[in-house]
Amino acid sequence: MIIKPKFRGFICTTSHPEGCAYSVQEQIKYVKQQRPIKGPQKVLVIGSSTGYGLASRIVSTFASGASTLGVFLEKPAANGNTATAGWYNTAAFEKAAAEAGYYAKSINGDAFSDQVKTKVIEQIREDLGQIDLVIYSIAAPRRTHPVTGEVFSSVIKPIGDSFTSKTVDLNSNEIVDVTLKPATEEEIRGTVAVMGGEDWERWMHQLKGAGVLAPGATTIGYSYIGPKITYPIYKEGTIGRAKDHLYATSKEINNQIKDIEGKAFVAVNKALITQASAAIPVVPLYLMLLSRVMDTKGLEENCIEQMYRLLGSKLCETKNLSSADQMIRVDDYEMRDDVQEEVAKLWEKACAGDLNIIPDLEEYRKEFFKLFGFGFDDVDYDKDVNENVPILSIQSQE
Ligand code: NAD
């Protein structure tokens, strides 16, 4: 099959197996060039197939030599459709891990369900005994509650008042006004149920109850805060409310795993183009300008660099955090005053129509398509490729 990108709405509906494999290889290459990390050796990554979760898994494996178990919700190729990018990423990751002699197994299913939690616990018991790091990196549009069966949807809306701002129209390449109506109470509740900490706590509760958390185990959930420009749509909106809940949950989990000397943290990561963030209005324009400023200052990082810094140095520094503070800031470069001042200036110029954003848009688009394995110079996109790529551990379970 010759695979070309097909763009619909905020996503690309095709993925390229060789492009995704190339992107995973590049991330592994970066990690191997860094110094090794003396880190956890048995790691569970929930949301491990793309973005921050995938990068966390790659760093754990190739910098710390850890055995990893990954959980995600992806589709294999079927009926002439390609697999999802996360499927191809995992296939490439597992292959590379196996070639290097590392344990890596994956479970494809709904992480919000109790069935998947039970399956993961069984797998840990069978292969690893106990785990010492649990990364929670889920970004999902909806969640079916495992007890009540209620289906919650996550929305990205302001709270209280409507919010009008500038956003970039990726079809026309123009900066346009966007007005977002405030969320209803129901929508706030839904977003907190999907993107808040309830499911994370459920995972930790069940893992601990099953005795598969090692003494001194750590767990990290991922969050974002961002600058004032995006406050109404992010920090002070529905998603920010969910992230507040995630942070409050980290404190509860921390108390619950204290008796085994466990610790729970929230890592506040940098804003980056991923499948999740591309769908948030206002954010793509901010990301373009942020990337321009951080590039100029030599501070730009992508998922793998962020996760290497989190697991390689930031996590060790938590020893100095007060016990009341479970927040690790990996967004420190993004939030630097000089960076934010520059971004704010560019934002004003862009909104006034005084900034040529075409190069930024092109760069953004390139990065976006790379998430699906397209746009790498070293990959031949005219070549006929087999879209049916197995994930080693999933194939062996079937
Ligand atoms: P992503 O879309 O790249 O990854 C999401 C992961 O969740 C994938 O592995 C996907 O398969 C998995 N997933 C989704 N629904 C699932 C389900 N029901 N069951 C099992 N797996 C499921 O997203 P990302 O941007 O890497 O986000 C991960 C976390 O990082 C989120 O909490 C997000 O808020 C946070 N974060 C993102 C950014 C950013 O700019 N992208 C910044 C800071 C923090």
Side-chain angles (χ1 to χ4, degrees), residues 256-276:
Q256 288 161 12
I257 58 177
K258 235 182 208 152
D259 58 336
I260 57 160
E261 286 174 37
K263 283 202 169 138
F265 298 100
V266 158
V268 182
N269 302 339
K270 172 189 184 294
L272 271 174
I273 307 171
T274 62
Q275 294 189 37

Side-chain angles (χ1 to χ4, degrees), residues 137-290:
S137 184
I138 295 280
R142 66 192 65 81
R143 168 178 175 225
T144 302
H145 197 280
V147 178
T148 63
E150 189 174 354
V151 180
F152 297 102
S153 290
S154 164
V155 300
I156 294 164
K157 288 191 175 180
I159 292 178
D161 297 316
S162 290
F163 172 57
T164 299
S165 180
K166 299 285 178 188
T167 195
V168 59
D169 182 331
L170 294 168
N171 292 312
S172 66
N173 286 357
E174 280 170 357
I175 293 177
V176 294
D177 280 322
V178 61
T179 298
L180 298 149
K181 292 214 173 89
T184 61
E185 280 306 317
E186 196 57 22
E187 287 172 324
I188 298 170
R189 185 173 153 258
T191 309
V192 172
V194 180
M195 292 299 288
E198 195 193 332
D199 181 59
W200 182 22
E201 188 180 13
R202 209 172 166 81
W203 268 101
M204 296 311 295
H205 182 76
Q206 295 192 14
L207 291 167
K208 189 185 168 208
V212 296
L213 273 190
T218 302
T219 185
I220 313 173
Y222 292 156
S223 187
Y224 182 65
I225 295 176
K228 286 213 168 80
I229 307 169
T230 59
Y231 270 12
I233 186 67
Y234 201 98
K235 184 174 182 288
E236 293 167 355
T238 47
I239 184 79
R241 194 64 73 82
K243 292 299 186 187
D244 288 347
H245 187 267
L246 189 86
Y247 184 52
T249 307
S250 71
K251 300 194 173 221
E252 279 173 30
I253 297 174
N254 207 51
N255 285 333
Q256 288 161 12
I257 58 177
K258 235 182 208 152
D259 58 336
I260 57 160
E261 286 174 37
K263 283 202 169 138
F265 298 100
V266 158
V268 182
N269 302 339
K270 172 189 184 294
L272 271 174
I273 307 171
T274 62
Q275 294 189 37
S277 64
I280 311 178
V282 186
V283 166
L285 179 58
Y286 168 70
L287 275 169
M288 286 174 207
L289 304 179
L290 176 70

Side-chain angles (χ1 to χ4, degrees), residues 8 22 81 99 109 124 126 132 192 195 225 275 279 284 295:
R8 184 164 5 108
Y22 182 83
N81 294 318
E99 279 165 9
I124 297 169
E126 237 168 69
D132 42 19
V192 172
M195 292 299 288
I225 295 176
Q275 294 189 37
D295 255 343

Side-chain angles (χ1 to χ4, degrees), residues 10-31:
F10 298 108
I11 59 155
C12 181
T13 56
T14 51
S15 306
H16 201 281
E18 293 193 359
C20 290
Y22 182 83
S23 155
V24 167
Q25 285 300 342
E26 285 294 287
Q27 295 188 60
I28 293 173
K29 198 161 108 192
Y30 168 80
V31 171

